[in-house]
Amino acid sequence: MSEHAPVLPEEVLAGLTVRPGGRYCDATFGRGGHTAAILEAVGPAGRVVALDRDPEAIRAGQRRFAGDQRLTLVKGSFGALETHVRAAGLDGELDGVLMDLGVSSPQLDEAERGFSFMQDGPLDMRMDNESGQGAAQWLARAGEREIADVLHTLGEERYARRIARALVAARAEAPVTRTRQLADIVAAAVPTREPGRHPATRSFQAIRIHVNRELEELEAALPQAVRLLDAGGRLCVISFHSLEDRIVKRFIRREEQGDPVYAGLPEIPPHARARLKRMGAAVRPGAAEVAANPRARSAVLRVAARLAA
Ligand SMILES: C[S@@+](CC[C@H](N)C(=O)[O-])C[C@H]1O[C@@H](n2cnc3c(N)ncnc32)[C@H](O)[C@@H]1O
């Protein structure tokens, strides 16, 4: 069974300023690396509610943390963060919310999940493989223009149009249902090669982000996380590509400024006040961590503190 090494573990604990007896939400449980570290630091009186939309992550978590009354594991999306946290009995006053975005190593390593162009599997790519449509279904129905737009915007793929054309031509011959098949079609359509990078890397990333609505989920979750935090509580977000990081960075900046309509006025109503304060610069893993855990390579951690209302 594949494991998942938590990224920036020390930096996350420091960013969350985990304290004994504190209440935290790990919105991306994965295999529980960060949750385990938080549980250790909160001690016997602490509480953690952990979410993952992947049913396999929750099953693995139930095995790993069986009997730990401090932890509530929820199968659900962080797009509905407030609902899940409240239903778990934490009424909102959290000391910290962590989001470690993207996919876990077990998701990538398991061929059957269909995330990887390195091994052949069904073209699925859903984190929650119990609902919604997988990558094969989307590719079977999407128009050429839509496919090109997804590859261009979410994969920053410069050959998006060519790839989309090739995919539409290929599916007219036979349905595209396997990861290897998709990787081969994309590789044949991309005229150049980047050293050390499979030519289908960007396309797989784009389709995965699209199928899982990853950016929409993130946009929905960030304001909910802020509402759930107590004054002084911390928001920690680890992103793995520039599209996510841009959303996080801009969100924190906006929340630091408050509603610009009221800027400079003597009385600012509570709903228009700044709600966050950025804590330091973005944190990236050092060379030793990247050498030990190559998946950490592109990680960026941003931390902000909730201001008093
Ligand atoms: C990078 S892994 C987290 C690893 C975890 N921090 C650990 O130490 O094991 C990201 C996890 O977030 C989950 N995930 C991604 N988007 C999600 C969403 N919108 N709602 C809930 N879980 C999500 C994925 O299923 C995956 O298991």
Side-chain angles (χ1 to χ4, degrees), residues 48-82:
V48 176
V49 51
L51 251 65
D52 205 296
R53 77 210 298 209
D54 182 343
E56 190 45 51
I58 297 303
R59 281 192 285 273
Q62 281 159 347
R63 290 192 293 272
R64 177 170 179 187
F65 295 97
D68 193 330
Q69 303 295 326
R70 301 169 302 162
L71 173 65
T72 307
L73 269 170
V74 183
K75 193 224 147 193
S77 257
F78 56 58
L81 192 68
E82 275 180 303

Side-chain angles (χ1 to χ4, degrees), residues 166-241:
L167 279 167
V168 168
R171 81 182 179 194
E173 302 290 318
V176 183
T177 58
R178 309 286 302 175
T179 51
R180 191 56 64 65
Q181 197 188 355
L182 174 62
D184 290 347
I185 296 166
V186 174
V190 172
T192 55
R193 292 292 179 262
E194 291 174 65
R197 207 171 213 225
H198 190 286
T201 307
R202 292 172 189 278
S203 297
F204 270 67
Q205 172 189 300
I207 296 171
R208 188 201 91 206
I209 295 174
H210 178 71
V211 162
N212 292 290
R213 298 175 44 82
E214 289 178 40
L215 303 184
E216 292 90 337
E217 285 276 316
L218 177 60
E219 297 265 20
L222 290 170
Q224 296 180 55
V226 174
R227 286 196 292 271
L228 288 167
L229 286 171
D230 209 352
R234 296 293 182 89
L235 172 66
C236 291
V237 188
I238 305 175
S239 318
F240 289 87
H241 53 76

Side-chain angles (χ1 to χ4, degrees), residues 4-7 26-35 51-54 57 76-79 98 100-105 107 127 212 214 217-218 240 295:
H4 181 96
V7 166
D26 179 352
T28 50
F29 175 78
R31 284 300 178 274
H34 289 115
T35 285
L51 251 65
D52 205 296
R53 77 210 298 209
D54 182 343
S77 257
F78 56 58
L98 167 66
D100 175 18
L101 301 169
V103 279
S104 66
S105 306
Q107 286 168 336
M127 294 179 189
N212 292 290
E214 289 178 40
E217 285 276 316
L218 177 60
F240 289 87
R295 215 186 61 83

